[in-house]
Amino acid sequence: MESAAARMRLEMMLDDLDRSIGVLTTTPSAEITLGDADRNHAMIEAAGRQRRAVVAALSRLDAGTYGRCVDCGVAVPEGRLEARPEAARCIGCQSRRERRR
């Protein structure tokens, strides 16, 4: 993926995530049930994790390492970056990381 296109997509994702987190964190607590609060908290955490991944991808773009696996250094497949522009790892390294969890 071209750097300019990747940057544009990542910055759009960051804007969307910031808006979503803003909406989720400003929901008045009196309007939600305990179950809703748990779901809301989980969504805020997930959005926060994705936001950190997007910020890290932008940092890799700035450093000139975007598109390279952070673990093994091989090129992350173009299709993976198209689907997940924030991807930091090649498929093999990501699979190994998920198996360890």
Side-chain angles (χ1 to χ4, degrees):
M1 176 182 301
E2 181 184 314
S3 291
R7 182 173 302 280
M8 185 173 68
R9 285 189 65 199
L10 288 164
E11 288 175 350
M12 287 174 34
M13 288 174 72
L14 190 59
D15 288 343
D16 290 344
L17 286 163
D18 286 342
R19 271 192 300 279
S20 295
I21 291 169
V23 167
L24 290 167
T25 57
T26 58
T27 302
S29 58
E31 295 179 15
I32 58 175
T33 66
L34 186 56
D36 290 338
D38 288 341
R39 273 190 295 284
N40 191 21
H41 182 71
M43 289 188 299
I44 291 169
E45 284 185 3
R49 280 191 302 275
Q50 186 172 10
R51 186 185 191 287
R52 288 187 293 279
V54 170
V55 169
L58 286 166
S59 294
R60 288 191 303 279
L61 259 172
D62 293 339
T65 59
Y66 180 79
R68 293 260 165 221
C69 178
V70 296
D71 291 343
C72 71
V74 302
V76 175
E78 188 73 22
R80 179 161 170 72
L81 291 175
E82 286 291 330
R84 298 201 52 130
E86 76 279 15
R89 291 174 179 78
C90 66
I91 295 167
C93 288
Q94 184 65 39
S95 294
R96 281 188 290 282
R97 181 179 173 90
E98 289 174 2
R99 280 194 302 270
R100 284 190 295 242
R101 288 184 187 183

